[in-house]
Amino acid sequence: MDRETNRPKKLGFRPSKAPNPSPSSSSPVRLRPREEAKRDSTSSIHERRNPVLDEDEETGSPIFSYLVGTCPDMCPAKERQQRERLRDLSVFERLHGDPSRTSPKLAVKKFCRTMSNAELQEVEIRPLPVLRSTLKYLMNLVDTSDQPFEVVHDFVFDRTRSIRQDLTRQNILDDEAICMYEEMVKFHIESHKKLAMCYTKTDLASLCYLNTEQLMKCLATLFKLYDIHRRSSSLHKNEAEFYSFYVLLHLGGKIPQMGSSLSLWYRKLTLSILQSNEMRFSMTLIRYSRLGNFKRFFTRLEAEASDLQLCLVEPFLSEIRARAISYVNHSGYKLQPYPLKHLSDVLRIKESELEELCHVCGLETTMDEAGMKTLPVKQTSFSLPKLGLPVHSLSTF
Amino acid sequence: MAYLSMGEAHRRITDYLSRFCDAVSSQDAATLSALLAISSNFASLQAPADALNVFQDSNQLVNQVERYAQFAEILSPLLRCLQSYRLGRYSDAYVAFEKAANAFLQEFRNWETAWAMEAVYILALEIRLLAEKADRELSSSGKNTEKLQGAGSFLMKIFGALAGKGPKRVGALYVACQLFKVYFKLGTVHLCRSVIRSIETARLFDLDEFPVKDKVTYMYYTGRLEVYNENFTVADQKLTYALMHCSPNKEANKRMILKYLIPVKLSIGILPKQWLLEKYNLMEYNEVVKALKTGDLRLLRQALREHEDRFLRSGVYLVLEKLELQVYQRLMKKIYVLQKQKDPSKAHQLKIETAVKALNWLGMDMDMDEAECIMAILIFKNLTKGYISHKNKVVVLSKQDPFPKLNGKPVSS
């Protein structure tokens, strides 16, 4: 009598280590397909039978069936009318600036926490092509709007969350979904840098935190999508880079911890990802940062970081540089102030910016007889300011 | 399978049911446990399982006899489980077992004493083992694997039934350990936190009242968590406890503990002897230890590369990477000692150029800036006492103990 079921061997699939696409919260949200959904997507049909994508803890009550959306606009008509009545329209959605009038071309569906699928109608969910064009519209807004960045960010942050909600409700798991999630991760990474630039505003600290939290949520879902993709083909072309983002986030001291340490996260990764250049790069940067080898850290960063990787890392550089300054301050010879020019070369920062950073950290700088700026060492006043540090980009030489 | 008559099948099933009821009425936990140990594949379970495939209507059998009927909620699904397991249908077996287990837990709650604790242990163990088998089956046919998660939820239920005042508390640690195993397997390790909180801080339990072997398992898992969070002092305490109290004949368990204890000890400057690594087959740490002894950075990096996959899987990779600083310290100390032999009066002045030469000789690509950087961090972390004259490109070492030993304390953060 057969005990074991036949186990087909799949290329690139590591059965005992395949990450379980289940949520970390205690009540699992289960999606069971009602019927084969008709969709425009060109990707393979078999993925609909795949382990379920189960993202937002925020969706609240358990979802018991897939929906297939039919909403033709960026925002369902019912919501448009309701928000016009309540005058709940973002500045981007107002027709000719009127807070009580919008249009199908301007209104974008808001993220809504409480809906269970039982209450939703299909006409309120946007199908894939509409979601695609909505995302394109929002990304374009980021590039072209002349509103202050925090305002644009806030709007796009919310509206992209709603897009992800619609994707989850329809259980869209294919290449299209991957593309869209990658776009949204990009948005959050670029926001991460732009928001950090305005470090002096007090509420921006929480904005940055929320943005990073959302970035990590997107990445978590994206990784599940990649897993599903990997069962039928090899690594997705951007997969290694996006995994490296998760690692690089750990360069920041104050990121929201998504439950487990980096050590535990590495355990679940497949060999092909771990051996990729992007992962090697990011893991090495982490090593240099943890060991305090700031010389190698900056040369390696300059040599190998992609644009997005740099964008992600730049807001963390000040803290790393501040630490380097404290090492120099601590270990130097008290009769020989340290030349700022040299330090600024090593730390890949402009000399004037380095001077600013020293001052922000409570350290004085002086000038020597030759007129060169120096840092007197063994100062006892070093401290990392509470409000955060100014962001200086990587200066290449 | 030999031909089984209907009569014989009927007899086997009623035999199983009777043994169950007898065990309950005479409070015989050992027999009861054996009847619940589905995945053990005892011959005594195979017999009724085979019978169930011949005698199809076991439900009726359970309900017709009053003795059995009072436990129908347990027995009917339990029989289904036996049958499914025998047929290799693990997902079905799990679902049936969960039903039976839930019903059993209800009964257990009503029993005043903890006589059936051993059976509860079996329940806790089996739910996990069956769930793991079920998920493997589901995953290989491309379906959603959720049984282990369900097992975790059920284990929490058992945990809840045991937490509180009364003699049943003694089983709580065992169940906690089953939960740890589930969470580690699922990768949802952060869920261990709430279990640990219940055990340690909620003041419901006194760790001394638990059996030693449960404490060993508990310390092993919580010790591992401390390793991942790099709290080396606490990790050392917990894992050492586990090692010391582990049964002398459980070599495999000792090896598992040592796998995590060794990196912890290395991080606080304590090196294992070679025979220990050999005895417990942990030779992957051999070169790491050598590198620390000789200050050979190249060897450390090589060892990390060679066993990278293994270290990443067990989660100690980042801990081992950090040992680099101690290796640098060792190397600098060696240079210092050599200098002292040549010319004691100048020994405390370590030219940065010398460090660069030494590292280059070891095959490491290093320049003056990087060497200075490393020296700065060594001084900052108190692995070296002295200061750096950047202008003169020299490290001036303290005349007293310039390379302090860690002595059981981790490198300062």
Side-chain angles (χ1 to χ4, degrees):
Chain A
M1 220 178 312
D2 260 338
R3 300 278 172 83
E4 302 292 320
T5 52
N6 281 327
R7 297 167 61 146
K9 287 232 185 277
K10 293 179 196 159
L11 284 172
F13 178 58
R14 305 178 94 218
S16 57
K17 302 280 190 277
N20 189 337
S22 324
S24 53
S25 53
S26 51
S27 49
V29 179
R30 303 203 187 156
L31 281 166
R32 248 167 263 117
R34 248 195 335 216
E35 54 186 272
E36 281 292 288
K38 281 200 264 298
R39 276 207 302 257
D40 278 356
S41 112
T42 50
S43 56
S44 40
I45 303 284
H46 80 267
E47 277 150 5
R48 280 173 228 151
R49 284 198 291 109
N50 269 331
V52 153
L53 184 65
D54 197 335
E55 186 198 323
D56 283 330
E57 298 92 32
E58 312 129 354
T59 47
S61 47
I63 303 171
F64 292 113
S65 54
Y66 300 156
L67 287 172
V68 183
T70 56
C71 173
D73 307 315
M74 295 197 292
C75 180
K78 183 167 151 199
E79 183 183 316
R80 274 205 310 271
Q81 287 151 18
Q82 184 183 46
R83 289 206 279 133
E84 277 178 327
R85 256 195 340 264
L86 297 172
R87 301 175 87 105
D88 178 20
L89 294 170
S90 161
V91 66
F92 304 98
E93 296 171 312
R94 296 176 191 172
L95 194 57
H96 306 309
D98 183 345
S100 62
R101 290 287 308 287
T102 184
S103 80
K105 285 208 169 39
L106 293 174
V108 185
K109 187 176 174 196
K110 269 180 115 168
F111 172 72
C112 182
R113 209 175 271 278
T114 56
M115 295 281 177
S116 73
N117 266 17
E119 298 161 22
L120 276 175
Q121 296 172 317
E122 280 155 354
V123 74
E124 292 174 272
I125 309 256
R126 297 160 291 179
L128 186 59
V130 177
L131 289 172
R132 224 185 300 135
S133 54
T134 306
L135 185 61
K136 203 160 161 207
Y137 170 79
L138 290 171
M139 295 295 104
N140 190 46
L141 205 62
V142 175
D143 288 335
T144 58
S145 171
D146 43 7
Q147 292 282 340
F149 181 71
E150 306 94 77
V151 181
V152 183
H153 169 82
D154 189 55
F155 180 69
V156 175
F157 178 110
D158 180 82
R159 302 308 193 261
T160 48
R161 222 174 163 191
S162 171
I163 291 181
R164 297 204 305 277
Q165 209 173 21
D166 278 2
L167 283 170
T168 308
R169 283 181 175 133
Q170 297 173 90
N171 199 46
I172 300 175
L173 309 169
D174 55 16
D175 278 356
E176 296 262 17
I178 289 180
C179 263
M180 292 180 71
Y181 269 88
E182 285 179 352
E183 273 295 306
M184 291 188 268
V185 168
K186 257 182 75 178
F187 161 71
H188 284 294
I189 291 179
E190 286 165 355
S191 298
H192 172 75
K193 177 166 172 184
K194 290 182 196 167
L195 288 173
M197 296 291 218
C198 328
Y199 83 104
T200 45
K201 297 197 184 171
T202 44
D203 60 335
L204 270 160
S206 67
L207 262 184
C208 287
Y209 183 92
L210 290 172
N211 181 62
T212 311
E213 189 182 53
Q214 211 56 223
L215 166 60
M216 292 175 91
K217 281 198 176 147
C218 277
L219 277 175
T221 309
L222 183 56
F223 295 156
K224 289 179 196 168
L225 293 174
Y226 283 143
D227 281 345
I228 293 171
H229 176 268
R230 222 182 306 121
R231 290 174 195 212
S232 53
S233 34
S234 55
L235 284 192
H236 193 275
K237 69 170 156 52
N238 298 325
E239 192 167 346
E241 190 183 2
F242 279 78
Y243 267 99
S244 77
F245 294 149
Y246 184 85
V247 177
L248 291 172
L249 275 171
H250 288 76
L251 286 172
K254 299 199 251 329
I255 59 161
Q257 287 300 331
M258 294 292 269
S260 56
S261 66
L262 204 53
S263 287
L264 280 166
W265 187 76
Y266 283 151
R267 285 173 85 208
K268 307 188 264 190
L269 298 184
T270 64
L271 210 57
S272 46
I273 292 179
L274 284 168
Q275 289 176 340
S276 67
N277 289 334
E278 293 88 340
M279 278 300 283
R280 289 236 164 279
F281 166 69
S282 56
M283 286 165 76
T284 308
L285 276 190
I286 294 280
R287 186 171 101 223
Y288 291 148
S289 170
R290 278 155 50 93
L291 289 174
N293 188 341
F294 49 87
K295 165 74 185 179
R296 284 254 172 188
F297 179 88
F298 282 97
T299 41
R300 190 75 186 258
L301 180 68
E302 180 186 54
E304 270 187 56
S306 69
D307 288 340
L308 275 176
Q309 285 170 334
L310 194 55
C311 207
L312 186 57
V313 171
E314 270 182 329
F316 301 139
L317 292 182
S318 293
E319 206 179 308
I320 295 172
R321 288 170 175 140
R323 271 193 278 135
I325 295 171
S326 75
Y327 301 155
V328 167
N329 178 52
H330 183 271
S331 62
Y333 180 33
K334 62 180 190 280
L335 294 181
Q336 292 173 350
Y338 202 96
L340 283 189
K341 177 83 180 61
H342 177 85
L343 191 54
S344 65
D345 283 348
V346 174
L347 298 180
R348 294 295 194 274
I349 186 176
K350 297 201 183 76
E351 198 183 332
S352 55
E353 292 173 339
L354 180 60
E355 199 182 355
E356 184 194 351
L357 193 55
C358 290
H359 295 162
V360 167
C361 291
L363 297 178
E364 283 178 4
T365 54
T366 53
M367 239 194 277
D368 66 6
E369 311 92 42
M372 305 295 286
K373 297 219 176 100
T374 56
L375 173 73
V377 295
K378 301 288 196 209
Q379 294 188 52
T380 51
S381 48
F382 178 86
S383 74
L384 285 175
K386 283 206 178 63
L387 268 183
L389 298 161
V391 173
H392 303 300
S393 355
L394 193 72
S395 282
T396 50
F397 293 90
Chain B
M1 179 180 57
Y3 170 74
L4 201 56
S5 70
M6 275 301 245
E8 171 63 12
H10 182 273
R11 190 197 65 77
R12 285 188 190 180
I13 297 170
T14 49
D15 184 59
Y16 178 86
L17 297 171
S18 297
R19 273 187 286 149
F20 185 95
C21 299
D22 289 340
V24 173
S25 46
S26 58
Q27 300 199 344
D28 178 0
T31 309
L32 195 54
S33 305
L35 295 170
L36 295 169
I38 306 289
S39 65
S40 66
N41 249 346
F42 291 144
S44 56
L45 292 180
Q46 285 186 15
D50 285 335
L52 285 163
N53 282 318
V54 172
F55 189 97
Q56 296 294 325
D57 200 4
S58 52
N59 269 349
Q60 218 189 27
L61 193 61
V62 170
N63 289 316
Q64 271 173 351
V65 181
E66 204 195 304
R67 256 189 102 202
Y68 309 150
Q70 60 176 315
F71 297 121
E73 306 262 303
I74 303 173
L75 291 171
S76 289
L78 198 52
L79 290 178
R80 271 205 309 279
C81 174
L82 269 173
Q83 186 181 10
S84 298
Y85 190 85
R86 188 84 175 121
L87 291 172
R89 297 211 269 260
Y90 300 120
S91 187
D92 293 338
Y94 171 80
V95 171
F97 189 81
E98 205 191 281
K99 269 214 176 76
N102 262 299
F104 187 91
L105 191 61
Q106 282 288 72
E107 285 295 326
F108 178 75
R109 280 204 173 98
N110 296 331
W111 294 327
E112 295 223 346
T113 66
W115 71 264
M117 189 57 71
E118 198 186 323
V120 175
Y121 290 160
I122 294 292
L123 226 57
L125 178 64
E126 288 290 326
I127 194 110
R128 179 176 64 87
L129 294 177
L130 289 173
E132 286 176 8
K133 274 193 140 89
D135 273 355
R136 272 200 290 273
E137 183 184 83
L138 288 169
S139 135
S140 65
S141 52
K143 299 211 196 87
N144 192 21
T145 54
E146 47 177 28
K147 303 297 187 219
L148 194 55
Q149 221 176 334
S153 302
F154 181 71
L155 284 165
M156 282 303 269
K157 266 196 208 158
I158 305 184
F159 190 77
L162 299 177
K165 306 192 212 289
K168 293 178 187 169
R169 306 138 61 92
V170 72
L173 208 62
Y174 180 87
V175 178
C177 292
Q178 292 300 319
L179 272 165
F180 290 157
K181 293 184 193 200
V182 169
Y183 292 148
F184 268 77
K185 187 109 192 200
L186 284 175
T188 53
V189 173
H190 60 286
L191 291 175
C192 295
R193 232 180 294 142
S194 66
V195 180
I196 296 173
R197 245 200 317 254
S198 302
I199 298 268
E200 292 189 15
T201 58
R203 307 234 182 163
L204 280 173
F205 304 102
D206 177 12
L207 275 176
D208 287 332
E209 59 188 291
F210 295 117
V212 174
K213 75 173 178 63
D214 290 343
K215 275 201 277 192
V216 167
T217 314
Y218 181 80
M219 287 294 177
Y220 167 72
Y221 280 103
T222 51
R224 271 175 77 178
L225 288 177
E226 301 291 353
V227 177
Y228 296 140
N229 294 328
E230 301 194 1
N231 301 330
F232 296 131
T233 316
V234 183
D236 186 21
Q237 284 164 5
K238 294 192 173 213
L239 291 171
T240 303
Y241 177 96
L243 188 65
M244 306 257 276
H245 293 82
C246 188
S247 283
N249 57 337
K250 302 265 192 200
E251 298 288 314
N253 287 354
K254 285 202 209 159
R255 180 176 185 275
M256 277 163 59
I257 298 169
L258 281 167
K259 198 159 81 147
Y260 294 94
L261 187 55
I262 289 175
V264 171
K265 290 286 194 193
L266 293 177
S267 303
I268 58 178
I270 299 173
L271 273 49
K273 298 270 194 297
Q274 174 106 4
W275 67 259
L276 187 73
L277 299 180
E278 281 170 2
K279 177 171 179 188
Y280 290 99
N281 192 22
L282 287 167
M283 290 304 281
E284 62 261 33
Y285 292 123
N286 193 34
E287 275 156 4
V288 177
V289 174
K290 257 211 214 122
L292 281 166
K293 278 207 181 113
T294 57
D296 189 346
L297 199 65
R298 184 183 40 186
L299 193 58
L300 177 69
R301 298 241 177 113
Q302 204 177 300
L304 285 180
R305 253 196 313 269
E306 193 182 324
H307 302 287
E308 185 182 54
D309 201 29
R310 202 195 301 222
F311 291 148
L312 282 170
R313 296 273 162 246
S314 57
V316 298
Y317 186 84
L318 289 177
V319 173
L320 295 172
E321 259 191 349
K322 249 182 160 173
L323 295 174
E324 217 174 86
L325 285 180
Q326 286 157 253
V327 177
Y328 274 122
Q329 184 205 40
R330 189 84 189 86
L331 182 62
M332 297 303 143
K333 185 170 182 178
K334 265 174 111 166
I335 298 175
Y336 166 73
V337 166
L338 283 171
Q339 283 187 182
K340 214 169 174 187
Q341 284 169 358
K342 273 216 285 213
D343 184 355
S345 63
K346 292 243 196 66
H348 65 286
Q349 300 215 15
L350 208 156
K351 291 211 185 103
I352 296 186
E353 197 181 29
T354 315
V356 173
K357 282 211 188 104
L359 286 155
N360 286 336
W361 182 80
L362 271 176
M364 315 243 60
D365 169 32
M366 169 111 10
D367 65 9
M368 295 288 283
D369 283 340
E370 191 181 350
E372 191 184 319
C373 186
I374 304 284
M375 293 313 305
I377 190 82
L378 285 178
I379 294 172
F380 187 84
K381 299 263 177 181
N382 217 30
L383 286 167
T384 300
K385 293 233 236 359
Y387 60 82
I388 304 175
S389 163
H390 169 77
K391 196 161 151 201
N392 306 348
K393 304 268 178 275
V394 72
V395 181
V396 179
L397 298 166
S398 159
K399 298 243 172 82
Q400 286 256 27
D401 190 24
F403 299 103
K405 287 203 154 144
L406 285 176
N407 275 336
K409 286 219 195 68
V411 176
S412 45
S413 322

